[in-house]
Amino acid sequence: MLKAPVNRIIPFSNVDGPGNRTSIFFQGCPFNCLFCHNPETIKMCVSCGKCVETCPVKALSFDEQGKVVWDETKCVQCDSCIKVCPNCSSPKIRWLSVPEVMTQLKRSLPYIDGITTSGGECTQYNEFLIELFAEVKKLGKSCLIDSNGSFDFESDPRVLEVSDGVMLDVKAYEKKWNDYLISFDRSLILKNLEYLLKVNKLYEVRTLIFPDRDRENEETVRHVAEMIGDKCFYKIIRYRPFGVRENYLPVLGEFTTEEEYANRYVELARSLGAAKAYLV
Ligand code: SF4
Ligand code: SF4
């Protein structure tokens, strides 16, 4: 049976799309963004064992094949394992099937408008999403994909057919700034932006605003705003240092982007036709 690595499920969220939603975070991401706020979702565990010895309640151990396994019933969620992991990973992963995820959703389903799949990068598990969304749709709930744009939606649009839209990160337009920030070619992200708009499956675009990066911020906001107009939401996000890996803080800055500074870009986006631009 098809299974995917689930990092966590948040039963109720009001920041992952419209209304009240259950957010499902998958493990693994092809990007390595300097500013990632949950870097423990980037890579798969390689069972190096470093975290096993640090767990204060012995919730981590090796199985017979030498793989690190997590005992959820013993875990006290201290996150010591995540802090010591040298691999941007987490041992607290569950490989779940679609019926198992549906069982987890059962309690929140009566109170939610839909689900949002996130990560990591959820589109790495495209086949799983197709199956999961089909089940959720049967219950009359909506399905949104939170994506970094690394999946080519045009070459395989099946997941879009069973979803209500995509919340797409466009982190940087300028090539050098993009490569520096995310270590992944931006061409596919920009192609997805264009394609999702064309097929009317773009729910929202998100851009992070960094302090003192006037030119880079402006180029990204200008490009996105001119493309999307009022067709979807444009979430302008202030950079915040919380959760960022310590070795990247001196590079990116340890200060949250000032509200007044970030608001300049909301105004810019609106002046270019992105009427649904807003700041968070
Ligand atoms: S979670 Fe990290 S530290 Fe723990 S075994 Fe896996 S790779 Fe090693
Ligand atoms: S979060 Fe859980 S598994 Fe990790 S170290 Fe703490 S108790 Fe152990």
Side-chain angles (χ1 to χ4, degrees):
M1 188 179 279
L2 192 58
K3 291 198 172 196
V6 174
N7 178 288
R8 65 183 184 278
I9 297 178
I10 297 178
F12 302 114
S13 164
N14 58 10
V15 294
D16 294 308
N20 194 12
R21 314 188 71 77
T22 295
S23 295
I24 304 167
F25 293 82
F26 292 84
Q27 183 74 17
C29 177
F31 289 8
N32 188 11
C33 300
L34 297 189
F35 53 82
C36 183
H37 288 89
N38 37 9
E40 76 280 4
T41 64
I42 296 176
K43 292 191 189 154
M44 302 306 293
C45 170
V46 292
S47 291
C48 71
K50 196 164 175 13
C51 58
V52 174
E53 62 217 43
T54 64
C55 178
V57 292
K58 306 219 175 312
L60 300 170
S61 59
F62 289 100
D63 69 8
E64 282 169 5
Q65 283 81 42
K67 276 196 173 163
V68 169
V69 286
W70 172 54
D71 184 341
E72 194 176 354
T73 61
K74 286 187 186 162
C75 179
V76 292
Q77 302 295 349
C78 70
D79 281 351
S80 303
C81 48
I82 289 169
K83 285 177 202 139
V84 299
C85 178
N87 186 46
C88 290
S89 188
S90 166
K92 299 191 287 174
I93 301 304
R94 291 172 300 159
W95 282 85
L96 299 178
S97 65
V98 169
E100 283 166 337
V101 172
M102 292 307 291
T103 304
Q104 299 263 315
L105 290 179
K106 249 188 192 141
R107 274 185 292 175
S108 58
L109 270 171
Y111 311 104
I112 59 170
D113 298 287
I115 66 162
T116 300
T117 55
S118 185
E121 173 56 27
C122 62
T123 59
Q124 294 200 126
Y125 311 102
N126 189 43
E127 300 298 330
F128 188 92
L129 296 189
I130 292 169
E131 258 189 44
L132 175 65
F133 290 174
E135 291 305 310
V136 173
K137 285 278 176 189
K138 282 182 200 163
L139 304 171
K141 305 291 178 182
S142 65
C143 301
L144 284 179
I145 301 164
D146 177 341
S147 175
N148 61 19
S150 60
F151 178 78
D152 189 346
F153 289 100
E154 186 171 15
S155 72
D156 185 357
R158 289 173 303 144
V159 74
L160 293 180
E161 286 160 18
V162 280
S163 87
D164 294 271
V166 176
M167 301 154 82
L168 183 72
D169 286 332
V170 179
K171 286 157 181 166
Y173 181 63
E174 202 254 327
K175 185 174 177 343
K176 249 166 100 182
W177 177 232
N178 171 85
D179 294 351
Y180 173 69
L181 275 182
I182 72 172
S183 311
F184 192 93
D185 183 60
R186 79 206 204 296
S187 323
L188 185 54
I189 303 166
L190 299 177
K191 181 187 167 208
N192 277 322
L193 175 64
E194 209 175 321
Y195 176 71
L196 292 167
L197 262 175
K198 191 171 106 188
V199 296
N200 203 21
K201 286 284 185 179
L202 193 60
Y203 174 78
E204 177 178 275
V205 179
R206 287 93 53 96
T207 294
L208 209 55
I209 298 297
F210 291 88
D212 303 324
R213 287 282 179 173
D214 302 10
R215 187 178 56 80
E216 291 89 344
N217 291 330
E218 181 172 337
E219 281 194 39
T220 311
V221 170
R222 197 170 270 285
H223 178 78
V224 172
E226 283 174 349
M227 277 205 76
I228 64 175
D230 63 357
K231 295 192 188 96
C232 72
F233 291 100
Y234 191 13
K235 191 191 272 187
I236 306 271
I237 306 170
R238 291 196 286 156
Y239 163 76
R240 294 165 172 90
F242 315 113
V244 172
R245 283 163 284 185
E246 271 178 19
N247 48 330
Y248 293 139
L249 281 174
V251 183
L252 289 170
E254 299 192 30
F255 304 101
T256 300
T257 305
E258 298 274 349
E259 192 171 339
E260 199 183 332
Y261 178 77
N263 252 326
R264 278 172 29 192
Y265 296 98
V266 176
E267 293 307 320
L268 173 67
R270 289 186 185 152
S271 73
L272 294 168
K276 297 181 195 165
Y278 67 105
L279 185 70
V280 295

